[in-house]
Amino acid sequence: MSSEPVSRSRRAPRRGASSRADAVRRSFDSAKAALADSNLRDVHLSAPTLRWGLLAVAAGAVVAALVTLFVTGFDNEKGLEAHNPGSPLQPVLDKEFGTAAKGDCLSWTKPDRSDLVKVNCSSKHMFEVAADIDMSRYPGKEFGPGSRFPDSLRLTELKEEHCVPAVQKYMSGRFDPRGKYIVGLMYPSPDGWRHGDRTLRCGLQVAASVGTPPSVGSATEHDQSRVYEAGVCLGINQNLPTDPVDCAQPHAVEIVSTVDLGPHFTGGPPPKEEQDKFVEEECTRTSTDYLGGPDVIRNKTLTLFFDYIDARSWMAGSRKLDCMIGKGADQEGFAPITGSAKGDILINGQAPVPPPNNGRSTPVPLPGAAPLPPQPRPR
């Protein structure tokens, strides 16, 4: 069997994409304008000033990268084949994959997933089956006997047609497209296809830029918020955040804490302005606790970032947001940081220089420069 991780969308797929892109560009333009101000580059900018543009651009770029990955598929052209140890050259149908049904969880350790097994969902697993769909029951010749094995683009189309609605049904309509899970597709290997297997298995897996991180527990029982533990650093690629890395490696942001909005907002989706006020207060407090002082962020020329929970994510049950610290790049995205902000850090390979206490930096005069003489007033 093979696996086709599926395009992740931080907003509703396709519909409204252009308007969302416009909003992203407007947000980023505002952030970029703030960064371009020479009086602000070396000071701690407020989170509302920068976070939307940088986080929106980061999310958009990660989505684009994931869509490319998911459409491309995997490098193994032979697909995933299970082999009988006694006859290693004779491919056989994978019994574990062939019997996986709704609610089953699957795991593997080998890169080609040839050791795939069913496990209890309370254990670590890579994939949770939401539906198994026998395509041989569909009319037409596309999935009939002797039909051609579908290419990666067709598999992605099948995922959109069948797996996205199947996952929504499995999650009782409460799937968060911006959350920790993405819709996934597993399909027979070319050998299984030749043997007549036409069953697609739709499900959920943890979102990541590369690979498939393990999950514990059923997705149907989890808050789907995509959050990390305090102290986790998210790597950087083309100035944008990626997956968790050691903080000694270049990274875009460091997680300070996680804020649970559930106890504070008990009704419907709270307005963004109310979220902003509550989350910024919590992030400011927890960042001080995490770093050991109220001036650390400013002295290290960092910025406090956080996102917000939109109505669709709120209705899906997501209630948590991460507080993050990072450094906005002069052009776009984030600057690379090495080291945890709890200790010494380098930003773009240089130690940060604390700004003056007045919060504004005064340009150093050029050698030999002198103030202009008094100018005559116009009459």
Side-chain angles (χ1 to χ4, degrees), residues 278-313:
F278 173 70
V279 177
E280 186 166 15
E281 290 175 354
E282 288 297 300
C283 287
T284 300
R285 177 182 61 80
T286 56
S287 66
T288 297
D289 294 340
Y290 179 82
L291 296 171
D295 299 325
V296 177
I297 290 180
R298 175 182 178 276
N299 291 339
K300 295 186 177 180
T301 68
L302 299 175
T303 299
L304 185 63
F305 296 95
F306 51 87
D307 202 350
Y308 78 105
I309 301 176
D310 65 16
R312 186 172 178 182
S313 296

Side-chain angles (χ1 to χ4, degrees), residues 86-319:
S87 305
L89 299 181
Q90 298 296 321
V92 296
L93 293 178
D94 187 340
K95 294 181 180 179
E96 296 286 333
F97 176 73
T99 59
K102 175 181 175 180
D104 286 339
C105 289
L106 308 176
S107 188
W108 56 83
T109 59
K110 295 182 179 180
D112 65 356
R113 299 166 178 79
S114 59
D115 61 340
L116 181 145
V117 293
K118 283 191 290 187
V119 298
N120 192 302
C121 290
S122 61
S123 304
K124 285 186 177 181
H125 58 273
M126 308 294 189
F127 191 88
E128 181 173 351
V129 180
D132 54 300
I133 303 171
D134 185 358
M135 301 304 295
S136 67
R137 297 181 179 179
Y138 282 72
K141 298 181 179 180
E142 182 181 8
F143 306 106
S147 58
R148 183 175 63 87
F149 185 77
D151 60 22
S152 59
L153 180 58
R154 179 58 179 142
L155 288 167
T156 301
E157 292 173 346
L158 292 172
K159 177 273 303 179
E160 294 291 342
E161 294 169 8
H162 300 284
C163 291
V164 171
V167 165
Q168 286 284 3
K169 182 178 180 181
Y170 180 71
M171 298 292 288
S172 300
R174 294 168 62 87
F175 173 68
D176 183 356
R178 299 185 69 210
K180 66 181 293 185
Y181 298 104
I182 56 173
V183 178
L185 166 66
M186 300 190 76
Y187 48 89
S189 68
D191 183 71
W193 191 273
R194 286 191 295 271
H195 281 78
D197 188 354
R198 299 291 187 272
T199 303
L200 306 179
R201 285 175 174 81
C202 303
L204 299 106
Q205 56 197 87
V206 175
S209 301
V210 178
T212 306
S215 180
V216 177
S218 172
T220 60
E221 302 169 354
H222 280 301
D223 180 316
Q224 298 172 57
S225 306
R226 192 179 184 188
V227 293
Y228 300 92
E229 296 290 334
V232 170
C233 290
L234 301 183
I236 187 168
N237 184 19
Q238 298 182 357
N239 292 351
L240 300 173
T242 58
D243 300 325
V245 298
D246 190 300
C247 290
Q249 302 297 317
H251 56 271
V253 294
E254 181 174 350
I255 308 301
V256 169
S257 65
T258 298
V259 178
D260 187 350
L261 281 69
H264 187 77
F265 300 102
T266 57
K272 182 168 68 68
E273 294 75 14
E274 294 183 17
Q275 290 189 49
D276 283 353
K277 184 177 184 299
F278 173 70
V279 177
E280 186 166 15
E281 290 175 354
E282 288 297 300
C283 287
T284 300
R285 177 182 61 80
T286 56
S287 66
T288 297
D289 294 340
Y290 179 82
L291 296 171
D295 299 325
V296 177
I297 290 180
R298 175 182 178 276
N299 291 339
K300 295 186 177 180
T301 68
L302 299 175
T303 299
L304 185 63
F305 296 95
F306 51 87
D307 202 350
Y308 78 105
I309 301 176
D310 65 16
R312 186 172 178 182
S313 296
W314 188 272
M315 298 305 292
S318 295
R319 296 291 186 272

